[in-house]
Amino acid sequence: PFGFEVPTDPDPQWWETVPTEALLAHADGVGTPFDTIIVDEAQDLRPAWLDSLRVLLDPEGPQRLLMVMDPAQAIYTSEWSDLVEFFRATLEVNLRNSRSIGALCARLGGPTTLQDNPAGPAPDFHRATGNKELRKHVERTIDHLLEDEKVHPSEIAVLTTHTSTRDALIGTVTGATSLTRWEERDSGSVLCETIHRTKGLEWTAVIIASLDDPI
């Protein structure tokens, strides 16, 4: 309604400045102001964007702005070095994962897992010394999940630590189904993307495909 258009292929600088500046400029047209605004994953919110959020708060209301963040999980920004405005809490118990996956997370420096969490199957590990071996392991694991575990393709994700590994897998894995990037995904394919591009999303089965140092 305000003539705001997203270009065909916006660069990172466009995303960093144009949308939030447009929101700030047209805040009066958004509608009823808010009593409270809650922002999740705020570690990737640029501090300069806060002005465009605060202007949406009702000046006659409580003007609450709640932001939940984990600076250690930041992907796009590292500007939250001074957290004096925030209450810092340490998550001492892993409430999200099964005990088997939680044990692996704890080995990587995460908190202990709540013993009431479901047990869950233990993660499988396969060693690969190059893209060829990695591709074979990915193919076999996908086929096992589809045929033996009856997991739907759209509920399987192959996550990589580098874009080069992702690109090496897409188009070369020739198992029972194809691998696709996030933009081309459909109900009949298995997603193959980097961990950073898919952080925060969940699937029934996840394959971590990496040629980095073993855990």
Side-chain angles (χ1 to χ4, degrees):
F2 303 106
F4 180 76
E5 296 182 1
V6 179
T8 303
D9 189 20
D11 59 21
Q13 183 61 30
W14 187 91
W15 286 113
E16 287 188 15
T17 58
V18 178
T20 187
E21 289 176 357
L23 177 59
L24 187 61
H26 300 292
D28 291 341
V30 170
T32 304
F34 299 96
D35 288 332
T36 304
I37 295 177
I38 301 175
V39 181
D40 193 16
E41 303 289 355
Q43 70 273 0
D44 283 318
L45 188 75
R46 271 60 169 180
W49 294 358
L50 296 181
D51 289 340
S52 63
L53 292 179
R54 290 192 173 105
V55 76
L56 300 177
L57 293 169
D58 186 352
E60 303 299 325
Q63 296 189 323
R64 294 178 297 233
L65 177 59
L66 172 63
M67 300 194 300
V68 182
M69 69 174 68
D70 181 356
Q73 295 190 42
I75 295 176
Y76 302 108
T77 182
S78 58
E79 299 179 45
W80 294 105
S81 57
D82 184 3
L83 301 179
V84 293
E85 295 185 50
F86 299 92
F87 173 78
R88 183 186 294 270
T90 301
L91 301 181
E92 298 179 347
V93 180
N94 182 343
L95 302 175
R96 185 171 187 173
N97 297 122
S98 64
R99 296 199 303 274
S100 55
I101 295 177
L104 174 61
C105 294
R107 287 170 52 191
L108 298 175
T112 58
T113 304
L114 186 70
Q115 289 307 301
D116 289 340
N117 287 7
D124 290 327
F125 294 89
H126 304 277
R127 184 179 297 275
T129 58
N131 282 324
K132 184 176 181 180
E133 287 185 35
L134 187 65
R135 184 166 60 248
K136 289 181 178 179
H137 288 309
V138 170
E139 289 178 351
R140 292 168 183 166
T141 303
I142 291 175
D143 288 345
H144 166 70
L145 290 170
L146 294 173
E147 298 171 10
D148 302 326
E149 302 295 337
K150 307 303 180 185
V151 181
H152 193 273
S154 63
E155 287 296 315
I156 303 172
V158 179
L159 305 184
T160 68
T161 51
H162 301 285
T163 56
S164 58
T165 305
R166 176 200 65 193
D167 296 342
L169 291 173
I170 292 179
T172 60
V173 170
T174 57
T177 188
S178 60
L179 298 183
T180 57
R181 290 192 59 183
W182 178 259
E183 291 81 2
E184 287 82 37
R185 71 194 187 283
D186 56 49
S187 60
S189 61
V190 172
L191 176 70
C192 183
E193 264 298 352
T194 63
I195 292 174
H196 276 184
R197 292 203 71 200
T198 51
K199 183 179 72 70
L201 302 177
E202 296 182 357
W203 292 267
T204 300
V206 174
I207 302 168
I208 306 295
S210 175
L211 294 174
D212 296 338
D213 292 335
I215 296 173

